[in-house]
């Protein structure tokens, strides 16, 4: 097969991929020659990636175009719901899609609407193999060398990108995370590759935790409970009914306010990591997009590690799968002694597809019951993540309630009940309770503003201290909230209002 026969499909792939992105992108792509060169290198590498499996030029070119088409569709949907382009760490979530399709607004692989197109695509690839001749060189030795050489060449590109000269070049192209700008300049593919290599090449820096304003001092509590409320914010802020718990927060909390979170409508792990470590996402470099993937839970400033060092038993309560976000492994490394997860909620009530928030609150109270197992009399630190308010918001989720915003208001009322149950259950104990929303709900009526992710709400309560001053309205970032909690766990440090 001639060189021309190989290069023509490659040219079609490059031009076609650029056309797809130019049509689908919300911003006009950069036409600067240097930016176009980086963009086309990304397209070429994707084409070569597919080419190594078939050695059929037109099949590889078509695979490149299909890859860009799928990425562009996902990118547009993600921008609408979350306000952020597709990023390299999203690829790590692909393995979760078949296991948890409902969380990704798709259908299981067994559904004919998914299985049918996949089987049809497989049949087309098999037919293409039969119809298009291979571009492998003649001779068994030359063919074997080519089959082994192309993957080695692609691996060499990655190794070169991780070398000192490669990282220096990438730092000039991608000095810091700026997804919107970089995608407009270099395209989705080149930006994903560049960000991925930048992350792999980053030194394992240990940034200092954020600082935050808080009131009073603490450190001698017997119980500290932190609850991350799925998709929680005051529904009155988005046109919903007021919650009784919000009145109690404004009247009884030691501290409350808006919480600036790292993402809108998704990426729970970003807020979770910021609160658990006190590390601002900006300090994480290119690992900010999925801190659990980047750091694997190896966090010296983790609240659980600090609590354990201070004599607390540490418990994580989450009524969902252990494998989601690899939480079972990550939370062990974060410093949690025990994990209470989906299998421990086998008999619990569900509201919609997920375990009810009130059931989670009851389990938390059972974990901290005086004299209860497994460590009677021991101080306890509990970090919990709820699930009832998780999407998708679609017809059939709740009987008689199909409108997404109405579904959310139905669920968030239960969240308010759960928080009130915790307030009542902790009253009289020497305890701290913190509740906060991980991100705004991913609803059509709650799109991300141009200024960034919509802030959620948080509240901090301190019990067993007698009379205290009026609640303080203090707006924080998620990382600053983590630092307030860190100080509450440590003796003789500034913490919550005493």
């Amino acid at each position: 097969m001639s060189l021309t026969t190989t290069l023509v499909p490659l040219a079609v792939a490059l031009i076609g991929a650029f056309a797809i992105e130019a049509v689908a992108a919300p911003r006009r792509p950069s036409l600067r020659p240097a930016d176009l060169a980086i963009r086309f290198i990304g397209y070429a590498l994707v084409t070569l990636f597919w080419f190594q499996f078939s050695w059929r030029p037109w099949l590889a070119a078509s695979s490149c175009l299909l890859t860009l088409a799928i990425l562009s569709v996902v990118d547009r949907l993600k921008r609408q719901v979350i306000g952020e382009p597709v990023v390299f760490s999203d690829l790590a979530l692909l393995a979760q899609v078949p296991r948890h399709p409902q969380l990704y607004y798709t259908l299981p692989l067994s559904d004919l609407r998914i299985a049918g197109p996949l089987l049809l695509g497989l049949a087309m690839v098999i037919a293409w193999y039969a119809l298009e001749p291979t571009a492998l060189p003649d001779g068994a030795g030359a063919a074997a060398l080519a089959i082994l050489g192309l993957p080695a060449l692609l691996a060499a590109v990655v190794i070169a990108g991780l070398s000192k000269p490669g990282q220096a070049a990438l730092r000039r192209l991608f000095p810091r995370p700026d997804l919107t700008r970089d995608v407009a300049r270099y395209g989705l593919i080149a930006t994903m590759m560049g960000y991925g290599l930048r992350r792999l090449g980053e030194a394992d820096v240990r940034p200092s935790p954020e600082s935050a304003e808080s009131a009073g001092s603490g450190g001698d509590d017997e119980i500290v409970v932190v609850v991350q409320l799925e998709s929680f914010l005051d529904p009155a802020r988005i046109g919903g009914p007021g919650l009784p718990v919000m009145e109690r927060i404004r009247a009884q909390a030691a501290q409350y306010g808006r919480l600036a979170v790292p993402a809108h409508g998704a990426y729970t792990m970003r807020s979770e990591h910021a609160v658990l470590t006190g590390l601002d996402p900006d300090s994480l470099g290119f690992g900010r997009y999925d801190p659990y993937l980047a750091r694997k839970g190896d966090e010296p400033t983790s609240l659980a590690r600090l609590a354990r060092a201070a004599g607390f038993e540490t418990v994580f309560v989450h009524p969902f799968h252990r494998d989601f976000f690899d939480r079972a492994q990550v939370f062990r490394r974060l410093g949690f002694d025990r994990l209470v997860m989906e299998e421990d909620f086998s008999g619990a009530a569900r509201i919609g597809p997920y375990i009810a928030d009130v059931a989670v609150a009851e389990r938390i109270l059972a974990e901290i019951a005086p004299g209860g197992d497994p460590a009677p009399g021991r101080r306890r630190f509990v970090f919990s993540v709820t699930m009832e308010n998780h999407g998708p918001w679609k017809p059939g989720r709740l009987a008689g309630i199909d409108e997404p915003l109405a579904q959310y208001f139905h669920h968030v009322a239960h969240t308010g009940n759960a928080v009130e149950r915790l307030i009542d259950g902790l009253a009289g104990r020497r305890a701290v309770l913190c509740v906060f929303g991980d991100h705004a709900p991913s609803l059509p009526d709650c799109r991300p503003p141009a200024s960034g992710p919509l802030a959620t709400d948080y509240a901090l309560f301190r019990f067993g201290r007698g009379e205290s001053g009026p609640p303080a309205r203090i707006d924080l970032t998620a990382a600053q909230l983590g630092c307030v909690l860190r100080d509450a766990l440590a003796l003789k440090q500034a913490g919550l209002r005493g």
Side-chain angles (χ1 to χ4, degrees), residues 382-399:
V382 179
F383 185 87
S384 180
V385 177
T386 68
M387 276 296 291
E388 183 181 336
N389 286 334
H390 205 292
W393 311 97
K394 58 185 181 180
R397 177 187 177 112
L398 294 172

Side-chain angles (χ1 to χ4, degrees), residues 243-266:
L243 295 180
V245 73
M246 297 307 299
E247 292 303 318
R248 292 190 69 175
I249 285 171
R250 287 185 279 267
Q252 300 174 22
Q255 183 175 317
Y256 72 95
R258 299 280 191 267
L259 190 70
V261 291
H264 182 99

Side-chain angles (χ1 to χ4, degrees), residues 93-178:
L93 301 178
L94 288 178
Q96 296 185 144
V97 176
R99 288 179 286 179
H100 311 290
Q102 78 280 5
L103 296 184
Y104 294 94
Y105 293 79
T106 187
L107 299 167
L109 292 177
S110 57
D111 192 291
L112 283 178
R113 288 168 289 181
I114 297 295
L118 289 177
L119 292 173
L120 179 61
L122 179 61
M124 290 178 64
V125 170
I126 293 172
W128 206 313
Y129 263 79
L131 294 173
E132 184 180 2
T134 179
L136 280 170
D138 296 330
L145 184 62
I147 290 172
L148 296 175
L150 183 53
L153 174 64
L154 293 174
V157 171
V158 175
I159 293 171
L162 294 174
S163 67
K164 287 185 178 180
Q167 284 293 302
L170 287 169
R171 280 194 295 271
R172 289 192 293 271
L173 293 173
F174 307 104
R176 60 188 177 279
D178 191 342

Side-chain angles (χ1 to χ4, degrees), residues 411-424:
H411 286 296
V412 81
H414 299 151
T415 303
N417 294 338
V419 174
E420 290 197 274
R421 180 70 187 90
L422 290 171
I423 295 171
D424 294 337

